[in-house]
Amino acid sequence: MSASRPLRSHQRALQALVAAIARGEATGVSDILAAVTPGGGKSLLPVIAAAELIAAGRIDRVVWVVPRDSLRLQAEEAFADPAWRASLSHAVSVRAADNEPDPARGLGGYVTTYQAVAAAPALHLAEARAHRTLLVVDEVHHLPVPSAARGRDGETSDEEAEAGAWSRAMLPLMRAASMRLFLSGTLERADGRRILGLPYRPASPGRAPEVDTEAPGLAVIGYSRVQALAERAVLPVNFGALDGEASWLEAGQEAGAAPRVGPHRLGGGVRVTTRPALFTALRTGFARDLLGEAFHATRRIRARRRTERGLGPAEPALGLGKLLVVAPDQASARRYQAMIQGWMPGSQAERDVRIATSSAQDAHAALAAFRLLPEPAILVTVAMAYEGLDAPEVAVVAALTHIRSRPWLEQMLARATRVDPNAGPYDGQQALVFHPDDPLFAKFRAELETEQGSAPRPPEKPRLTAVTPEPVRWRDETPRGITPLESNALGIRYAMLRPRTPAPDAPAREPPPAREGVPSLTERSLRQRLAAQVAAQAVEDEAAWQAPRGGNLAHRYNAVLKRVTGKDRASMTLAELEAALAWLERNRLSDHAHLLDGDARYAWSARQRRRSWAPAGRRAEG
């Protein structure tokens, strides 16, 4: 194996496990659970498993299901990465598929989304039943047990209903698969529900559900943040916590109609005013102040790296560091984007600051550019890019979100903890996360420090300051009846979250995944070349009077090509697309126009062709 691409400990553990399964030594294992800290490198695990099991004839194909469409290409790239193909000696390719027939197209499998499976469950179930399938369930914590998909007070939110639909569609697929590989950075859901497909210990009163890691048929592979830091697989984090104060109106009253509430501090203990203060802060002046801190920190990082590498002020290059802004909602995201662009020259603002939200038409293009190109350097999002985004160049995160569930925060944190192979030595990199200094974020940070051994363990029952006799319950929802007025930042403090013991002989870092050879992109390119060839022949034939002018000759020629090949371009495999292109380079579609004869849809155009192509004398006689 190449010394430049060594496997991490959890990747080696999976490789040993699937090798044992391939040899018939671990016949009882049908489910593998990989609990890998976000940013720890779990995207390589499906490649390792599929390469070994397909080569051994234990499975026929791999189906990888991801929670977001933006992650499909990243999954495809993991199989196409030439360095890993060489290191693992594998030739398995998968394609990012929609809900069209034959999603694998002759390859070793396909990548799809939970939404796609829920939209066409019969298609994917039939595929799993027709082939011995390794089903990779990515970020499995998105799937609640269907019977538990009810919201509070018996109500079901749109998000909960969607998650329930995903689970109901995925359950038969899980049962039909020969093997299952569950991937997640967390084994708990923010709502405390059980996760689909995982075995649990018997419920205990007052305790959260616990995964039964010793269940028959289940093999568990873990990789904690402590291990990842020790192996230098992720970066240490420096938190920039901004305290502030905010004022608002209750019950939606207008200014002047009732006394305003506040100003109230964000910091301190959990109070009844903490949540509305945070809600207000994220939509008023405090957000501008936090954005400004993150923006200028990113500029300093990029300027320092430019100086170290001898680059000019406007010279594009990878590895300079980027800023990811996580907003509380889409309206705030648009305001944040406009705010940041207002701090930059017009031409630079348009190039360097992009937005990726579900309502933005070019969201996927913005995500791809942010991941793979030197510019844009700043991306504003809500939730679309917080989970699974593989962008090692992110050096700074502005955490302007009200959500405080630990799984969500860990995923967001991981966007900045990936090691950037283009940014210089490991010791010269760190993740910088700016966030409101509210007590719930502080509690999350303290838990991480305790787990790493870099902070003393807190008392068993830490006291929370509150203005009410009972503890205040924190929910990740927006408060009702709040009209934000104003807020401002009061001060910033930094806290470095470091590993307890550095590893001097750490393995080399992984370069970013390559895009060359990604099947879906190759298919798209071949389809475009086919369309161009067909259009070119149509234009040439019309110009040479070898075909009737008017109408849509390219459309008719596309139909001729479909008759010749027996398939339309959208359903062709890579090999069939290449064969069709080679055929077009040697043949003229006009010579095969007779294949449309007898088809009522082209009857008029066939008559027109015979009349137009008839010799001049015969046309005169007619």
Side-chain angles (χ1 to χ4, degrees), residues 43 46-47 62-81 93-100 102-105 107 109-117 119 123-124 136 138-139 364-365 367-368 371-372 384-385 387-390 513-515 517-521 523-524 527:
S43 62
V47 183
V62 55
V63 175
W64 189 345
V65 189
V66 297
R68 300 180 189 279
D69 187 63
S70 57
L71 302 180
R72 289 192 310 159
L73 182 58
Q74 289 182 201
E76 200 179 13
E77 287 174 346
F79 276 89
D81 185 334
S93 294
V94 300
R95 64 185 297 272
D98 296 315
N99 286 338
E100 70 272 0
D102 187 20
R105 303 287 169 83
L107 299 179
Y110 63 93
V111 187
T112 188
T113 62
Y114 292 137
Q115 298 95 321
V117 173
L123 168 69
H124 300 282
V136 181
D138 207 346
E139 306 296 357
H364 292 297
L367 274 175
R371 286 181 55 227
L372 301 164
M384 190 172 182
E387 181 180 66
L389 176 69
D390 185 12
R515 293 172 60 87
V518 174
S520 65
L521 298 183
E523 287 178 10
R524 190 180 312 160
R527 291 192 190 105

Side-chain angles (χ1 to χ4, degrees), residues 36-232:
V36 179
T37 188
K42 67 178 182 294
S43 62
L44 186 62
L45 300 181
V47 183
I48 295 171
E52 186 74 37
L53 296 173
I54 290 177
R58 293 285 176 173
I59 63 167
D60 301 323
R61 62 166 55 170
V62 55
V63 175
W64 189 345
V65 189
V66 297
R68 300 180 189 279
D69 187 63
S70 57
L71 302 180
R72 289 192 310 159
L73 182 58
Q74 289 182 201
E76 200 179 13
E77 287 174 346
F79 276 89
D81 185 334
W84 283 121
R85 291 174 80 86
S87 294
L88 298 174
S89 300
H90 86 88
V92 180
S93 294
V94 300
R95 64 185 297 272
D98 296 315
N99 286 338
E100 70 272 0
D102 187 20
R105 303 287 169 83
L107 299 179
Y110 63 93
V111 187
T112 188
T113 62
Y114 292 137
Q115 298 95 321
V117 173
L123 168 69
H124 300 282
L125 182 58
E127 290 290 324
R129 287 173 173 170
H131 308 275
R132 292 175 301 170
T133 299
L134 169 65
L135 179 66
V136 181
V137 188
D138 207 346
E139 306 296 357
V140 66
H141 58 271
H142 281 285
L143 303 177
V145 174
S147 60
R150 300 295 296 173
R152 289 183 294 270
D153 304 322
E155 298 179 355
T156 303
S157 68
D158 291 343
E159 184 176 350
E160 290 167 339
E162 182 180 50
W166 292 357
S167 296
R168 286 188 292 273
M170 286 295 297
L171 184 57
L173 194 57
M174 289 181 183
R175 291 170 176 166
S178 301
M179 288 192 66
R180 290 153 294 276
L181 173 58
F182 300 107
L183 305 178
S184 182
T186 176
L187 293 183
E188 62 183 49
R189 285 177 53 85
D191 54 16
R193 299 169 186 158
R194 296 188 176 200
I195 298 171
L196 185 71
L198 301 186
Y200 283 84
R201 295 189 176 94
S204 301
R207 297 189 64 178
E210 293 184 14
V211 175
D212 184 1
T213 57
E214 299 178 357
L218 176 69
V220 179
I221 294 173
Y223 192 60
S224 68
R225 179 168 170 76
V226 177
Q227 292 172 289
L229 283 166
E231 293 186 354
R232 296 193 169 193

Side-chain angles (χ1 to χ4, degrees), residues 39 200 261 272 332 433 453 472 621:
Y200 283 84
V261 179
V272 293
S332 297
V433 178
V472 178
E621 292 173 2

Side-chain angles (χ1 to χ4, degrees), residues 248-261 483 485:
W248 63 91
L249 298 177
E250 295 282 0
Q253 300 186 44
E254 297 180 0
R260 72 181 191 173
V261 179
T483 303
L485 290 179

Side-chain angles (χ1 to χ4, degrees), residues 8 10-11 36-42 223-238 390 392 394 410-411 413-420 425-431 448 452 496-499 501-503 506-510:
R8 297 167 185 171
H10 65 294
Q11 295 164 346
V36 179
T37 188
K42 67 178 182 294
Y223 192 60
S224 68
R225 179 168 170 76
V226 177
Q227 292 172 289
L229 283 166
E231 293 186 354
R232 296 193 169 193
V234 297
L235 296 171
V237 183
N238 193 12
D390 185 12
V394 173
E410 285 183 331
Q411 288 284 353
L413 187 72
R415 296 322 103 207
T417 59
R418 282 168 162 77
V419 180
D420 185 358
Y426 176 92
D427 293 332
Q429 300 183 49
Q430 68 179 35
L448 291 185
Q452 290 183 187
M496 173 64 79
L497 189 61
R498 293 185 180 275
T501 54
R509 298 178 300 278
E510 299 176 9

Side-chain angles (χ1 to χ4, degrees), residues 218-439:
L218 176 69
V220 179
I221 294 173
Y223 192 60
S224 68
R225 179 168 170 76
V226 177
Q227 292 172 289
L229 283 166
E231 293 186 354
R232 296 193 169 193
V234 297
L235 296 171
V237 183
N238 193 12
F239 289 102
L242 264 74
D243 196 3
E245 57 184 13
S247 301
W248 63 91
L249 298 177
E250 295 282 0
Q253 300 186 44
E254 297 180 0
R260 72 181 191 173
V261 179
H264 285 285
R265 291 282 293 270
L266 287 174
V270 178
R271 310 171 187 273
V272 293
T273 57
T274 301
R275 189 160 57 90
L278 179 61
F279 178 85
T280 299
L282 298 178
R283 292 159 177 83
T284 48
F286 176 89
R288 180 194 62 243
D289 296 338
L290 191 148
L291 270 179
E293 292 286 347
F295 174 76
H296 290 294
T298 307
R299 287 190 62 183
R300 289 192 294 271
I301 291 171
R302 291 174 66 85
R304 173 174 57 81
R305 292 182 181 178
R306 283 184 182 280
T307 301
E308 292 171 350
R309 295 161 66 174
L311 298 174
E315 189 174 350
L318 293 171
L320 297 179
K322 295 187 176 186
L323 167 63
L324 178 67
V325 179
V326 183
D329 53 60
Q330 296 196 34
S332 297
R334 291 189 290 272
R335 287 197 298 271
Y336 294 169
Q337 181 192 23
M339 194 180 301
I340 297 172
Q341 288 179 330
W343 299 335
M344 306 168 70
S347 59
Q348 184 184 9
E350 290 294 327
R351 183 190 67 230
D352 273 6
V353 187
R354 300 285 294 276
I355 189 168
T357 62
S358 57
S359 63
Q361 293 183 348
D362 64 341
H364 292 297
L367 274 175
F370 185 72
R371 286 181 55 227
L372 301 164
L373 301 177
E375 293 147 352
I378 301 172
L379 184 72
V380 183
T381 186
V382 178
M384 190 172 182
Y386 93 92
E387 181 180 66
L389 176 69
D390 185 12
E393 204 165 352
V394 173
V396 183
V397 172
L400 286 160
T401 171
H402 64 280
I403 299 177
R404 291 295 178 266
S405 65
R406 175 163 178 167
W408 207 99
L409 291 176
E410 285 183 331
Q411 288 284 353
M412 180 183 64
L413 187 72
R415 296 322 103 207
T417 59
R418 282 168 162 77
V419 180
D420 185 358
N422 298 305
Y426 176 92
D427 293 332
Q429 300 183 49
Q430 68 179 35
L432 181 55
V433 178
F434 290 91
H435 65 90
D437 196 14
D438 61 87

